[in-house]
Amino acid sequence: MIFTYLDVKDKGRVSQVCRKWRDAAYHRIVWRGVESKLHLRRSSSCNTNRLSLFPSLVKRGIRRVQILSHVNLRRSLKEVINGIPDIESLNLSGCFNVTDTGLAHAFTKEIPTLTVLNLSLCKQVTDSSLSRMSQSLPNLEVLELGGCSFITNAGLSYIAWGLKRLKVLNLRSCRHIGDQGINSITLLVRLEFLDLQDCQKLTDLSLSHVSNGLVHLKGINLSFCGSVTDTGLRFLSKMSSLQDINLRSCDNISDIGIGYLAEGGSKIETLDASFCERVGDQSLVHMSQGLFHLKNVSLSACNISDEGLERLVTGLHELVTLNIGQCIRVSDKGLKLIAENLRGLCCIDLYGCTKITTVGLEHIMQLPKLKTLNLGLWQKRR
């Protein structure tokens, strides 16, 4: 039980002290939840080492694996799958040489234990691999495809057909995906988080599909989706399950869209509208009048002032995080209002707020629960 508190390196070190410590260090409880990070190379000596590696991992009950090597992984991936028959999580993020052929070679049979698969930045992966996964990974719950730029709408139809248990789907920067593909994945009724960052072809129609089909969705990331407008937020406002919305750098979002979210009686706890230039003081009024569950708000570089902050902080006393960096209209008056009303605030970002001085900061520093204060390149002034 004591060994469970050690980091991975120290777990290995204590196993070399004596036989009794080795036996204790190999107990499964010591390695519960640990992710093994493996370098898989092609030399004959490494192949020999792998013969003892996988039985050792299985003995310790390790079921989560991250592959760090960037070599040809066709044979190695199959060895991992066969060597750890109860594998639960496979992380291949950043393995640029992973190909459809390599994945097909590894996923030759059904792997019911695998629930998490991370293929982020595996840029050679295409729809062909998604077709294979839909047949081999029936219990997959988390699929990370961020940066897999060859994925298309056809690939999403494979996901919708075969991966019915998905709860998390990351499609960041999958730029060939459009409204048709999003319509396909609305069949994933268990989906709780959807990341669509930088999917440039998406329009408000995608959000209409989402609101009608993904009734259990708790979080959605739409940052840098330039074609999403206030109309799209009107669709999202109908979703009572949504708790986290990221609209960062959505240029066509304005106070009107934030108003729609507030009118929906939403249970949103986290809202990021940073770098939305058309979001201003009126949005803060809407938040204070309708988004009563808000705890984390990011409004960096938005067109807000002390007057808007006053409406926000006097209406929402439960805020924990407030990011207002680069809001150049915010002054010491706004900081005083924050300090007086948000006594539970833990984190605040004031980077680039050029009107604030040490007078305002002294108010902020009196917050009893403050843990993080980001001032960036702010220069003290009196």
Short mmCIF file of all heavy atoms in Angstrom, two decimals, residues 113-177:
data_model
loop_
_atom_site.label_atom_id
_atom_site.label_comp_id
_atom_site.label_asym_id
_atom_site.label_seq_id
_atom_site.Cartn_x
_atom_site.Cartn_y
_atom_site.Cartn_z
N THR A 113 -11.97 -5.22 -24.52
CA THR A 113 -11.51 -4.51 -23.32
C THR A 113 -11.04 -3.09 -23.62
O THR A 113 -10.97 -2.25 -22.72
CB THR A 113 -10.35 -5.26 -22.66
OG1 THR A 113 -9.27 -5.42 -23.60
CG2 THR A 113 -10.80 -6.63 -22.18
N LEU A 114 -10.70 -2.78 -24.87
CA LEU A 114 -10.15 -1.46 -25.22
C LEU A 114 -11.25 -0.41 -25.18
O LEU A 114 -12.21 -0.45 -25.96
CB LEU A 114 -9.50 -1.50 -26.60
CG LEU A 114 -8.64 -0.28 -26.96
CD1 LEU A 114 -7.43 -0.18 -26.03
CD2 LEU A 114 -8.18 -0.33 -28.40
N THR A 115 -11.10 0.56 -24.27
CA THR A 115 -12.11 1.61 -24.13
C THR A 115 -11.58 2.99 -24.50
O THR A 115 -12.37 3.91 -24.72
CB THR A 115 -12.64 1.66 -22.69
OG1 THR A 115 -11.56 1.88 -21.79
CG2 THR A 115 -13.35 0.36 -22.33
N VAL A 116 -10.23 3.15 -24.56
CA VAL A 116 -9.64 4.45 -24.87
C VAL A 116 -8.60 4.28 -25.96
O VAL A 116 -7.68 3.47 -25.84
CB VAL A 116 -8.97 5.07 -23.62
CG1 VAL A 116 -8.33 6.41 -23.97
CG2 VAL A 116 -9.98 5.25 -22.49
N LEU A 117 -8.74 5.06 -27.05
CA LEU A 117 -7.78 5.02 -28.16
C LEU A 117 -7.45 6.45 -28.56
O LEU A 117 -8.33 7.23 -28.92
CB LEU A 117 -8.34 4.26 -29.35
CG LEU A 117 -7.44 4.18 -30.59
CD1 LEU A 117 -6.12 3.48 -30.28
CD2 LEU A 117 -8.17 3.47 -31.73
N ASN A 118 -6.16 6.80 -28.50
CA ASN A 118 -5.70 8.15 -28.84
C ASN A 118 -4.83 8.08 -30.09
O ASN A 118 -3.73 7.54 -30.06
CB ASN A 118 -4.91 8.76 -27.68
CG ASN A 118 -4.64 10.23 -27.87
OD1 ASN A 118 -4.64 10.73 -29.00
ND2 ASN A 118 -4.39 10.94 -26.79
N LEU A 119 -5.34 8.64 -31.19
CA LEU A 119 -4.61 8.70 -32.46
C LEU A 119 -4.30 10.14 -32.86
O LEU A 119 -4.06 10.42 -34.03
CB LEU A 119 -5.42 8.02 -33.56
CG LEU A 119 -5.67 6.51 -33.40
CD1 LEU A 119 -6.65 6.02 -34.46
CD2 LEU A 119 -4.37 5.73 -33.49
N SER A 120 -4.27 11.04 -31.89
CA SER A 120 -4.01 12.45 -32.19
C SER A 120 -2.69 12.61 -32.93
O SER A 120 -1.67 12.01 -32.55
CB SER A 120 -3.97 13.27 -30.90
OG SER A 120 -5.20 13.21 -30.22
N LEU A 121 -2.72 13.43 -33.99
CA LEU A 121 -1.53 13.75 -34.79
C LEU A 121 -0.96 12.54 -35.53
O LEU A 121 0.18 12.58 -35.98
CB LEU A 121 -0.45 14.40 -33.94
CG LEU A 121 -0.83 15.74 -33.31
CD1 LEU A 121 0.29 16.25 -32.40
CD2 LEU A 121 -1.16 16.78 -34.38
N CYS A 122 -1.73 11.46 -35.63
CA CYS A 122 -1.36 10.34 -36.52
C CYS A 122 -1.88 10.71 -37.90
O CYS A 122 -2.97 10.30 -38.31
CB CYS A 122 -1.95 9.04 -36.02
SG CYS A 122 -1.31 8.51 -34.41
N LYS A 123 -1.10 11.49 -38.62
CA LYS A 123 -1.58 12.19 -39.80
C LYS A 123 -1.80 11.29 -41.02
O LYS A 123 -2.38 11.72 -42.02
CB LYS A 123 -0.60 13.32 -40.16
CG LYS A 123 -0.56 14.43 -39.11
CD LYS A 123 0.37 15.55 -39.52
CE LYS A 123 0.33 16.68 -38.48
NZ LYS A 123 -0.96 17.37 -38.44
N GLN A 124 -1.33 10.02 -40.95
CA GLN A 124 -1.54 9.13 -42.08
C GLN A 124 -2.82 8.29 -41.94
O GLN A 124 -3.19 7.56 -42.85
CB GLN A 124 -0.34 8.19 -42.23
CG GLN A 124 0.97 8.90 -42.53
CD GLN A 124 2.09 7.93 -42.86
OE1 GLN A 124 1.99 7.15 -43.81
NE2 GLN A 124 3.15 7.97 -42.08
N VAL A 125 -3.48 8.41 -40.81
CA VAL A 125 -4.70 7.64 -40.58
C VAL A 125 -5.85 8.21 -41.41
O VAL A 125 -6.05 9.42 -41.46
CB VAL A 125 -5.06 7.66 -39.08
CG1 VAL A 125 -6.44 7.08 -38.84
CG2 VAL A 125 -4.01 6.91 -38.29
N THR A 126 -6.61 7.33 -42.05
CA THR A 126 -7.73 7.75 -42.90
C THR A 126 -9.01 7.05 -42.47
O THR A 126 -9.06 6.32 -41.49
CB THR A 126 -7.44 7.43 -44.39
OG1 THR A 126 -7.54 6.00 -44.59
CG2 THR A 126 -6.05 7.90 -44.81
N ASP A 127 -10.06 7.24 -43.28
CA ASP A 127 -11.35 6.61 -43.01
C ASP A 127 -11.25 5.09 -42.97
O ASP A 127 -12.04 4.43 -42.29
CB ASP A 127 -12.36 7.01 -44.10
CG ASP A 127 -12.68 8.49 -44.08
OD1 ASP A 127 -12.48 9.12 -43.01
OD2 ASP A 127 -13.11 9.02 -45.11
N SER A 128 -10.29 4.52 -43.68
CA SER A 128 -10.12 3.07 -43.69
C SER A 128 -9.90 2.52 -42.29
O SER A 128 -10.46 1.48 -41.93
CB SER A 128 -8.93 2.70 -44.60
OG SER A 128 -8.69 1.31 -44.56
N SER A 129 -9.11 3.22 -41.48
CA SER A 129 -8.87 2.77 -40.11
C SER A 129 -10.14 2.86 -39.27
O SER A 129 -10.41 2.01 -38.41
CB SER A 129 -7.77 3.61 -39.46
OG SER A 129 -6.51 3.29 -39.99
N LEU A 130 -10.96 3.88 -39.50
CA LEU A 130 -12.20 4.02 -38.75
C LEU A 130 -13.16 2.88 -39.08
O LEU A 130 -13.89 2.40 -38.20
CB LEU A 130 -12.85 5.37 -39.04
CG LEU A 130 -12.01 6.60 -38.67
CD1 LEU A 130 -12.82 7.87 -38.88
CD2 LEU A 130 -11.52 6.52 -37.24
N SER A 131 -13.13 2.44 -40.33
CA SER A 131 -13.94 1.30 -40.72
C SER A 131 -13.51 0.05 -39.96
O SER A 131 -14.33 -0.71 -39.44
CB SER A 131 -13.83 1.06 -42.23
OG SER A 131 -14.53 -0.10 -42.61
N ARG A 132 -12.19 -0.15 -39.86
CA ARG A 132 -11.65 -1.30 -39.13
C ARG A 132 -12.01 -1.23 -37.65
O ARG A 132 -12.41 -2.20 -37.03
CB ARG A 132 -10.14 -1.35 -39.31
CG ARG A 132 -9.43 -2.37 -38.47
CD ARG A 132 -9.67 -3.79 -38.94
NE ARG A 132 -9.13 -4.01 -40.27
CZ ARG A 132 -9.07 -5.22 -40.86
NH1 ARG A 132 -9.54 -6.28 -40.21
NH2 ARG A 132 -8.57 -5.35 -42.07
N MET A 133 -11.87 -0.05 -37.06
CA MET A 133 -12.16 0.12 -35.63
C MET A 133 -13.63 -0.13 -35.32
O MET A 133 -13.97 -0.68 -34.27
CB MET A 133 -11.79 1.53 -35.19
CG MET A 133 -10.31 1.76 -34.96
SD MET A 133 -10.03 3.44 -34.38
CE MET A 133 -9.36 4.18 -35.85
N SER A 134 -14.50 0.26 -36.22
CA SER A 134 -15.93 0.09 -35.99
C SER A 134 -16.31 -1.38 -35.86
O SER A 134 -17.32 -1.73 -35.25
CB SER A 134 -16.73 0.74 -37.11
OG SER A 134 -16.55 0.04 -38.33
N GLN A 135 -15.47 -2.25 -36.42
CA GLN A 135 -15.72 -3.69 -36.36
C GLN A 135 -14.99 -4.36 -35.19
O GLN A 135 -15.43 -5.41 -34.71
CB GLN A 135 -15.29 -4.35 -37.67
CG GLN A 135 -15.98 -3.81 -38.90
CD GLN A 135 -15.37 -4.34 -40.19
OE1 GLN A 135 -15.29 -5.54 -40.39
NE2 GLN A 135 -14.93 -3.44 -41.06
N SER A 136 -13.86 -3.76 -34.74
CA SER A 136 -12.99 -4.43 -33.77
C SER A 136 -13.09 -3.89 -32.35
O SER A 136 -12.67 -4.56 -31.41
CB SER A 136 -11.53 -4.33 -34.23
OG SER A 136 -11.36 -4.87 -35.52
N LEU A 137 -13.62 -2.68 -32.19
CA LEU A 137 -13.59 -2.04 -30.87
C LEU A 137 -15.01 -1.69 -30.41
O LEU A 137 -15.37 -0.51 -30.30
CB LEU A 137 -12.72 -0.78 -30.92
CG LEU A 137 -11.31 -0.95 -31.52
CD1 LEU A 137 -10.59 0.39 -31.54
CD2 LEU A 137 -10.51 -1.98 -30.73
N PRO A 138 -15.82 -2.68 -30.12
CA PRO A 138 -17.25 -2.43 -29.83
C PRO A 138 -17.50 -1.65 -28.54
O PRO A 138 -18.56 -1.03 -28.39
CB PRO A 138 -17.84 -3.84 -29.73
CG PRO A 138 -16.68 -4.69 -29.28
CD PRO A 138 -15.48 -4.11 -29.98
N ASN A 139 -16.54 -1.66 -27.62
CA ASN A 139 -16.75 -1.01 -26.32
C ASN A 139 -15.94 0.28 -26.15
O ASN A 139 -15.79 0.78 -25.03
CB ASN A 139 -16.41 -1.98 -25.19
CG ASN A 139 -17.33 -3.19 -25.17
OD1 ASN A 139 -18.54 -3.04 -25.36
ND2 ASN A 139 -16.78 -4.37 -24.98
N LEU A 140 -15.43 0.83 -27.25
CA LEU A 140 -14.64 2.05 -27.19
C LEU A 140 -15.49 3.21 -26.65
O LEU A 140 -16.60 3.43 -27.12
CB LEU A 140 -14.09 2.40 -28.57
CG LEU A 140 -12.88 3.34 -28.61
CD1 LEU A 140 -11.67 2.67 -27.99
CD2 LEU A 140 -12.58 3.77 -30.04
N GLU A 141 -14.94 3.93 -25.67
CA GLU A 141 -15.64 5.06 -25.06
C GLU A 141 -14.98 6.39 -25.36
O GLU A 141 -15.65 7.43 -25.37
CB GLU A 141 -15.73 4.85 -23.55
CG GLU A 141 -16.54 3.64 -23.14
CD GLU A 141 -16.61 3.49 -21.63
OE1 GLU A 141 -16.00 4.32 -20.91
OE2 GLU A 141 -17.27 2.54 -21.16
N VAL A 142 -13.66 6.39 -25.60
CA VAL A 142 -12.93 7.63 -25.87
C VAL A 142 -12.12 7.44 -27.15
O VAL A 142 -11.31 6.51 -27.25
CB VAL A 142 -11.98 7.99 -24.71
CG1 VAL A 142 -11.19 9.25 -25.04
CG2 VAL A 142 -12.76 8.16 -23.41
N LEU A 143 -12.33 8.32 -28.13
CA LEU A 143 -11.58 8.27 -29.39
C LEU A 143 -11.04 9.65 -29.69
O LEU A 143 -11.79 10.60 -29.90
CB LEU A 143 -12.48 7.79 -30.52
CG LEU A 143 -11.83 7.71 -31.92
CD1 LEU A 143 -10.61 6.80 -31.91
CD2 LEU A 143 -12.84 7.25 -32.96
N GLU A 144 -9.70 9.76 -29.70
CA GLU A 144 -9.02 11.02 -29.98
C GLU A 144 -8.47 11.00 -31.39
O GLU A 144 -7.58 10.20 -31.71
CB GLU A 144 -7.88 11.23 -28.98
CG GLU A 144 -8.29 11.23 -27.51
CD GLU A 144 -8.81 12.57 -27.05
OE1 GLU A 144 -8.69 13.55 -27.81
OE2 GLU A 144 -9.31 12.63 -25.91
N LEU A 145 -8.99 11.89 -32.26
CA LEU A 145 -8.55 11.96 -33.66
C LEU A 145 -8.06 13.36 -34.02
O LEU A 145 -8.00 13.71 -35.20
CB LEU A 145 -9.72 11.57 -34.59
CG LEU A 145 -10.22 10.13 -34.48
CD1 LEU A 145 -11.50 9.95 -35.29
CD2 LEU A 145 -9.16 9.13 -34.94
N GLY A 146 -7.69 14.16 -33.03
CA GLY A 146 -7.23 15.51 -33.29
C GLY A 146 -6.04 15.55 -34.23
O GLY A 146 -5.04 14.86 -34.01
N GLY A 147 -6.14 16.33 -35.29
CA GLY A 147 -5.04 16.46 -36.24
C GLY A 147 -5.00 15.38 -37.29
O GLY A 147 -4.10 15.38 -38.14
N CYS A 148 -5.95 14.46 -37.30
CA CYS A 148 -6.03 13.43 -38.35
C CYS A 148 -6.76 14.06 -39.54
O CYS A 148 -7.96 13.89 -39.72
CB CYS A 148 -6.75 12.19 -37.85
SG CYS A 148 -5.89 11.33 -36.51
N SER A 149 -6.00 14.77 -40.34
CA SER A 149 -6.60 15.66 -41.35
C SER A 149 -7.18 14.94 -42.57
O SER A 149 -7.83 15.58 -43.40
CB SER A 149 -5.56 16.68 -41.83
OG SER A 149 -4.38 16.03 -42.25
N PHE A 150 -6.99 13.62 -42.68
CA PHE A 150 -7.56 12.89 -43.81
C PHE A 150 -8.92 12.30 -43.48
O PHE A 150 -9.55 11.69 -44.36
CB PHE A 150 -6.60 11.77 -44.26
CG PHE A 150 -5.38 12.28 -44.96
CD1 PHE A 150 -4.12 12.12 -44.40
CD2 PHE A 150 -5.47 12.94 -46.18
CE1 PHE A 150 -2.98 12.59 -45.04
CE2 PHE A 150 -4.35 13.42 -46.83
CZ PHE A 150 -3.10 13.25 -46.26
N ILE A 151 -9.38 12.44 -42.25
CA ILE A 151 -10.70 11.93 -41.88
C ILE A 151 -11.79 12.75 -42.57
O ILE A 151 -11.72 13.98 -42.61
CB ILE A 151 -10.90 11.99 -40.35
CG1 ILE A 151 -9.83 11.15 -39.64
CG2 ILE A 151 -12.28 11.52 -39.97
CD1 ILE A 151 -9.84 9.70 -39.98
N THR A 152 -12.80 12.07 -43.11
CA THR A 152 -13.88 12.76 -43.82
C THR A 152 -15.23 12.38 -43.23
O THR A 152 -15.32 11.62 -42.26
CB THR A 152 -13.87 12.40 -45.32
OG1 THR A 152 -14.30 11.04 -45.48
CG2 THR A 152 -12.48 12.57 -45.92
N ASN A 153 -16.29 12.87 -43.85
CA ASN A 153 -17.64 12.54 -43.41
C ASN A 153 -17.90 11.05 -43.46
O ASN A 153 -18.63 10.50 -42.62
CB ASN A 153 -18.67 13.27 -44.28
CG ASN A 153 -18.66 14.77 -44.04
OD1 ASN A 153 -18.29 15.23 -42.97
ND2 ASN A 153 -19.07 15.54 -45.04
N ALA A 154 -17.30 10.36 -44.44
CA ALA A 154 -17.49 8.91 -44.57
C ALA A 154 -16.95 8.21 -43.32
O ALA A 154 -17.55 7.25 -42.82
CB ALA A 154 -16.79 8.40 -45.82
N GLY A 155 -15.82 8.68 -42.82
CA GLY A 155 -15.25 8.09 -41.62
C GLY A 155 -16.17 8.23 -40.42
O GLY A 155 -16.28 7.33 -39.59
N LEU A 156 -16.84 9.37 -40.32
CA LEU A 156 -17.76 9.58 -39.20
C LEU A 156 -18.96 8.64 -39.28
O LEU A 156 -19.50 8.23 -38.26
CB LEU A 156 -18.23 11.03 -39.17
CG LEU A 156 -17.15 12.10 -38.91
CD1 LEU A 156 -17.81 13.44 -38.61
CD2 LEU A 156 -16.24 11.69 -37.76
N SER A 157 -19.36 8.28 -40.49
CA SER A 157 -20.47 7.33 -40.63
C SER A 157 -20.06 5.95 -40.11
O SER A 157 -20.87 5.22 -39.53
CB SER A 157 -20.93 7.24 -42.08
OG SER A 157 -19.91 6.68 -42.91
N TYR A 158 -18.77 5.57 -40.31
CA TYR A 158 -18.28 4.30 -39.75
C TYR A 158 -18.32 4.34 -38.22
O TYR A 158 -18.70 3.37 -37.57
CB TYR A 158 -16.85 4.03 -40.22
CG TYR A 158 -16.70 3.77 -41.70
CD1 TYR A 158 -15.70 4.41 -42.44
CD2 TYR A 158 -17.54 2.89 -42.36
CE1 TYR A 158 -15.54 4.18 -43.79
CE2 TYR A 158 -17.40 2.65 -43.73
CZ TYR A 158 -16.40 3.31 -44.43
OH TYR A 158 -16.25 3.07 -45.78
N ILE A 159 -17.88 5.47 -37.66
CA ILE A 159 -17.89 5.62 -36.21
C ILE A 159 -19.31 5.48 -35.67
O ILE A 159 -19.56 4.77 -34.69
CB ILE A 159 -17.31 7.00 -35.82
CG1 ILE A 159 -15.80 7.05 -36.11
CG2 ILE A 159 -17.56 7.29 -34.34
CD1 ILE A 159 -15.17 8.41 -35.87
N ALA A 160 -20.24 6.14 -36.31
CA ALA A 160 -21.63 6.11 -35.85
C ALA A 160 -22.22 4.72 -35.94
O ALA A 160 -23.04 4.32 -35.10
CB ALA A 160 -22.46 7.10 -36.67
N TRP A 161 -21.78 3.96 -36.93
CA TRP A 161 -22.32 2.62 -37.15
C TRP A 161 -21.81 1.61 -36.12
O TRP A 161 -22.57 0.78 -35.61
CB TRP A 161 -21.95 2.13 -38.56
CG TRP A 161 -22.38 0.72 -38.82
CD1 TRP A 161 -23.63 0.26 -39.12
CD2 TRP A 161 -21.53 -0.45 -38.77
NE1 TRP A 161 -23.62 -1.11 -39.28
CE2 TRP A 161 -22.34 -1.57 -39.07
CE3 TRP A 161 -20.18 -0.65 -38.51
CZ2 TRP A 161 -21.84 -2.88 -39.10
CZ3 TRP A 161 -19.67 -1.94 -38.55
CH2 TRP A 161 -20.49 -3.04 -38.84
N GLY A 162 -20.52 1.69 -35.79
CA GLY A 162 -19.93 0.64 -34.99
C GLY A 162 -19.53 0.98 -33.56
O GLY A 162 -19.38 0.08 -32.74
N LEU A 163 -19.35 2.26 -33.24
CA LEU A 163 -18.83 2.63 -31.92
C LEU A 163 -19.95 3.26 -31.08
O LEU A 163 -19.89 4.43 -30.70
CB LEU A 163 -17.65 3.59 -32.07
CG LEU A 163 -16.50 3.08 -32.95
CD1 LEU A 163 -15.37 4.11 -33.00
CD2 LEU A 163 -15.98 1.73 -32.45
N LYS A 164 -20.94 2.47 -30.77
CA LYS A 164 -22.16 2.96 -30.13
C LYS A 164 -21.94 3.41 -28.69
O LYS A 164 -22.77 4.14 -28.14
CB LYS A 164 -23.23 1.86 -30.15
CG LYS A 164 -23.63 1.40 -31.54
CD LYS A 164 -24.35 2.49 -32.31
CE LYS A 164 -24.91 1.96 -33.62
NZ LYS A 164 -25.60 3.01 -34.41
N ARG A 165 -20.82 3.00 -28.07
CA ARG A 165 -20.61 3.32 -26.66
C ARG A 165 -19.74 4.58 -26.46
O ARG A 165 -19.40 4.91 -25.33
CB ARG A 165 -19.96 2.14 -25.95
CG ARG A 165 -20.86 0.91 -25.87
CD ARG A 165 -20.16 -0.24 -25.17
NE ARG A 165 -21.02 -1.40 -25.06
CZ ARG A 165 -21.88 -1.63 -24.05
NH1 ARG A 165 -21.95 -0.75 -23.06
NH2 ARG A 165 -22.63 -2.70 -24.02
N LEU A 166 -19.39 5.27 -27.53
CA LEU A 166 -18.53 6.44 -27.42
C LEU A 166 -19.13 7.51 -26.51
O LEU A 166 -20.29 7.87 -26.63
CB LEU A 166 -18.28 7.05 -28.79
CG LEU A 166 -17.04 6.59 -29.59
CD1 LEU A 166 -16.86 7.47 -30.81
CD2 LEU A 166 -15.78 6.59 -28.74
N LYS A 167 -18.28 8.01 -25.61
CA LYS A 167 -18.66 9.13 -24.75
C LYS A 167 -17.86 10.39 -25.08
O LYS A 167 -18.35 11.50 -24.85
CB LYS A 167 -18.43 8.74 -23.28
CG LYS A 167 -19.32 7.62 -22.79
CD LYS A 167 -19.06 7.33 -21.32
CE LYS A 167 -19.96 6.21 -20.81
NZ LYS A 167 -19.70 5.92 -19.36
N VAL A 168 -16.62 10.21 -25.59
CA VAL A 168 -15.76 11.34 -25.92
C VAL A 168 -15.24 11.17 -27.33
O VAL A 168 -14.67 10.12 -27.66
CB VAL A 168 -14.56 11.44 -24.94
CG1 VAL A 168 -13.63 12.57 -25.35
CG2 VAL A 168 -15.06 11.65 -23.51
N LEU A 169 -15.42 12.19 -28.16
CA LEU A 169 -14.93 12.16 -29.54
C LEU A 169 -14.24 13.48 -29.84
O LEU A 169 -14.84 14.55 -29.77
CB LEU A 169 -16.09 11.95 -30.52
CG LEU A 169 -15.73 11.93 -32.01
CD1 LEU A 169 -14.72 10.83 -32.31
CD2 LEU A 169 -16.98 11.74 -32.86
N ASN A 170 -12.95 13.39 -30.16
CA ASN A 170 -12.14 14.57 -30.47
C ASN A 170 -11.84 14.60 -31.96
O ASN A 170 -11.15 13.72 -32.49
CB ASN A 170 -10.84 14.54 -29.67
CG ASN A 170 -10.01 15.81 -29.84
OD1 ASN A 170 -10.23 16.59 -30.78
ND2 ASN A 170 -9.06 16.03 -28.95
N LEU A 171 -12.36 15.61 -32.66
CA LEU A 171 -12.17 15.76 -34.11
C LEU A 171 -11.45 17.07 -34.43
O LEU A 171 -11.60 17.61 -35.53
CB LEU A 171 -13.53 15.73 -34.81
CG LEU A 171 -14.34 14.44 -34.63
CD1 LEU A 171 -15.75 14.62 -35.17
CD2 LEU A 171 -13.65 13.27 -35.32
N ARG A 172 -10.67 17.56 -33.50
CA ARG A 172 -9.98 18.84 -33.67
C ARG A 172 -9.15 18.85 -34.97
O ARG A 172 -8.38 17.95 -35.26
CB ARG A 172 -9.06 19.10 -32.47
CG ARG A 172 -8.20 20.34 -32.58
CD ARG A 172 -7.36 20.51 -31.33
NE ARG A 172 -6.64 19.29 -30.96
CZ ARG A 172 -5.49 18.92 -31.50
NH1 ARG A 172 -4.92 19.66 -32.44
NH2 ARG A 172 -4.90 17.81 -31.11
N SER A 173 -9.34 19.91 -35.75
CA SER A 173 -8.58 20.14 -37.00
C SER A 173 -8.79 19.06 -38.04
O SER A 173 -7.95 18.90 -38.93
CB SER A 173 -7.08 20.30 -36.69
OG SER A 173 -6.85 21.42 -35.87
N CYS A 174 -9.89 18.33 -37.94
CA CYS A 174 -10.28 17.41 -39.03
C CYS A 174 -11.05 18.25 -40.04
O CYS A 174 -12.29 18.32 -40.01
CB CYS A 174 -11.12 16.26 -38.50
SG CYS A 174 -10.21 15.14 -37.41
N ARG A 175 -10.33 18.90 -40.93
CA ARG A 175 -10.91 20.00 -41.71
C ARG A 175 -11.77 19.57 -42.89
O ARG A 175 -12.39 20.41 -43.54
CB ARG A 175 -9.77 20.92 -42.18
CG ARG A 175 -9.00 21.53 -41.01
CD ARG A 175 -7.96 22.52 -41.45
NE ARG A 175 -7.23 23.04 -40.29
CZ ARG A 175 -6.29 23.96 -40.36
NH1 ARG A 175 -5.95 24.46 -41.54
NH2 ARG A 175 -5.68 24.39 -39.26
N HIS A 176 -11.82 18.28 -43.16
CA HIS A 176 -12.70 17.80 -44.24
C HIS A 176 -14.10 17.48 -43.74
O HIS A 176 -14.99 17.18 -44.53
CB HIS A 176 -12.10 16.56 -44.91
CG HIS A 176 -10.83 16.83 -45.65
ND1 HIS A 176 -10.78 17.65 -46.76
CD2 HIS A 176 -9.56 16.40 -45.43
CE1 HIS A 176 -9.53 17.71 -47.21
NE2 HIS A 176 -8.77 16.97 -46.41
N ILE A 177 -14.28 17.54 -42.45
CA ILE A 177 -15.57 17.20 -41.86
C ILE A 177 -16.56 18.34 -42.04
O ILE A 177 -16.21 19.51 -41.84
CB ILE A 177 -15.39 16.88 -40.36
CG1 ILE A 177 -14.66 15.55 -40.20
CG2 ILE A 177 -16.73 16.84 -39.64
CD1 ILE A 177 -14.29 15.25 -38.79
#
